[in-house]
Amino acid sequence: MSVYSVVSPAQINAFFSHYPLGRVLGFSGITDGIDNTNYWVSTSEGEFVLTVFESISVSDLPHFMALLGHLAAQGLPCPYPLPDRQAQHLRLLNHKHAAVFRRCPGRAVLKPGMTHCRQIGWHLARLHQHTQDYGFPIASNHDLPGYLHLFAKVAGQLAAADLAVIHEELAFQAANSHAGLPTGLIHADPFRDNVLFVGDKLSGLLDFYSAGKGVLLLDLAIAAADWCHDDGIVNGAKLAALLAGYETLRPLHTLERRLWPTLLRAAALRFWLSRLVHQLHPRSGAITQNKDPRVFRQLLCQYRQAHRYS
């Protein structure tokens, strides 16, 4: 979440006049995240989030709105789009599609502990269970072609040492296919700034706009890349807690256990590449956030070393 589309008080007031959500009292931009523009909005009826969609295609947006409605109906702690007075979930703001969500309680955890790791694992298993038969038509780009696409954007700007690591890892991933692993809908971005907690209880799972059909185990590996290290050093106990929480609801298959180290490496590679793209080709905006890609390089090297001697 960032702010790329600046809106005025008059525009916010006009937009919210189409919703039965009371009078706007104030609003402010949200700094977390990367892809969309987001604002906190306070009204006489409560606290809301206004999202202006910056990069999702118009044809895909209804599928994401329907997914969020489905998840909310299943009791998952995620925001869902509120209808306007004409029962529409999307409206135009500054010539871009936008939606309003009720603000979830809680806050992001900066330094997760074992309980937080178990909780995120358990809720990812819930997500996978409740979407097992859900017909989501969008495929995830968290795969080898997706990694190659990202690499092509930055390859000419990288140091020789980084290029060597990436080339080796791409070759390894190409030689170790994920074929045969269970697939379904994955969140694909379950990072700390997309998860809220009240105390030790997960209260909100946010930002499903990277979701797609993909390898279920990859969701856990992506979570591990952000939740299961201490200042860039892999924490094996947190990894075990994440897996234990997940397997409370969905035990891993034999092939998943065997390929777990491979998926950890794939997730670290993917986010190293995507953060490099954001760093080397930044988008302009009023409030933006670029995350340091080096932590994922560090994680990838640790995963590679541990895998080599396992």
Side-chain angles (χ1 to χ4, degrees), residues 231-250:
D231 298 321
I233 305 301
V234 174
N235 185 316
K238 288 182 179 179
L239 275 173
L242 177 76
L243 288 170
Y246 188 84
E247 292 198 274
T248 300
L249 295 181
R250 182 186 168 270

Side-chain angles (χ1 to χ4, degrees), residues 73-94:
Q74 297 296 315
L76 273 76
C78 64
Y80 58 92
L82 299 173
D84 65 12
R85 298 182 193 278
Q86 286 74 48
Q88 300 299 310
H89 294 99
L90 291 164
R91 295 191 63 86
L92 288 178
L93 179 60
N94 273 354

Side-chain angles (χ1 to χ4, degrees), residues 241-287:
L242 177 76
L243 288 170
Y246 188 84
E247 292 198 274
T248 300
L249 295 181
R250 182 186 168 270
L252 296 181
H253 297 195
T254 300
L255 183 60
E256 289 178 302
R257 294 183 187 282
R258 181 165 66 82
L259 290 181
W260 174 236
T262 299
L263 271 292
L264 287 172
R265 293 170 60 165
L269 172 66
R270 196 276 182 192
F271 281 95
W272 181 19
L273 290 170
S274 63
R275 296 295 188 255
L276 282 169
V277 171
H278 289 303
Q279 182 185 71
L280 297 173
H281 303 282
R283 293 164 58 187
S284 61
I287 303 174

Side-chain angles (χ1 to χ4, degrees), residues 172-191:
F172 173 82
Q173 294 294 331
N176 290 269
S177 170
H178 304 166
L181 289 171
T183 60
L185 185 131
I186 62 173
H187 183 285
D189 194 18
F191 276 45

Side-chain angles (χ1 to χ4, degrees), residues 138-303:
I138 300 170
S140 170
N141 62 2
H142 287 251
D143 54 15
L144 187 60
Y147 308 155
L148 291 168
H149 176 72
L150 292 171
F151 182 46
K153 293 183 177 183
V154 297
Q157 299 167 271
L158 300 181
D162 288 344
L163 285 171
V165 175
I166 293 170
H167 277 300
E168 287 178 9
E169 190 58 33
L170 287 170
F172 173 82
Q173 294 294 331
N176 290 269
S177 170
H178 304 166
L181 289 171
T183 60
L185 185 131
I186 62 173
H187 183 285
D189 194 18
F191 276 45
R192 282 172 286 169
D193 55 4
N194 287 331
V195 182
L196 304 178
F197 279 84
V198 173
D200 287 336
K201 183 176 181 181
L202 192 151
S203 58
L205 188 56
L206 315 177
D207 200 353
F208 278 81
Y209 308 115
S210 296
K213 292 188 293 186
V215 173
L216 298 181
L217 190 63
L218 189 58
D219 245 1
L220 273 179
I222 294 168
D226 198 43
W227 291 82
C228 301
H229 64 85
D230 300 317
D231 298 321
I233 305 301
V234 174
N235 185 316
K238 288 182 179 179
L239 275 173
L242 177 76
L243 288 170
Y246 188 84
E247 292 198 274
T248 300
L249 295 181
R250 182 186 168 270
L252 296 181
H253 297 195
T254 300
L255 183 60
E256 289 178 302
R257 294 183 187 282
R258 181 165 66 82
L259 290 181
W260 174 236
T262 299
L263 271 292
L264 287 172
R265 293 170 60 165
L269 172 66
R270 196 276 182 192
F271 281 95
W272 181 19
L273 290 170
S274 63
R275 296 295 188 255
L276 282 169
V277 171
H278 289 303
Q279 182 185 71
L280 297 173
H281 303 282
R283 293 164 58 187
S284 61
I287 303 174
T288 61
Q289 179 181 212
N290 287 317
K291 299 180 180 179
D292 189 350
R294 290 175 296 180
V295 65
F296 298 105
R297 185 194 196 282
Q298 184 176 348
L299 290 173
L300 175 59
C301 290
Q302 290 175 75
Y303 290 149

Side-chain angles (χ1 to χ4, degrees), residues 13 27 38 40 49 62 96 123 127 147 219 232 277 292 303 306 310:
N13 287 327
F27 69 99
N38 290 270
W40 300 126
V49 174
K96 296 178 181 179
H123 279 275
L127 170 66
Y147 308 155
D219 245 1
V277 171
D292 189 350
Y303 290 149
S310 62

Side-chain angles (χ1 to χ4, degrees), residues 57-68:
S57 71
V58 173
S59 60
D60 285 345
L61 272 174
H63 297 302
F64 287 106
M65 299 300 102
L67 171 63
L68 291 170

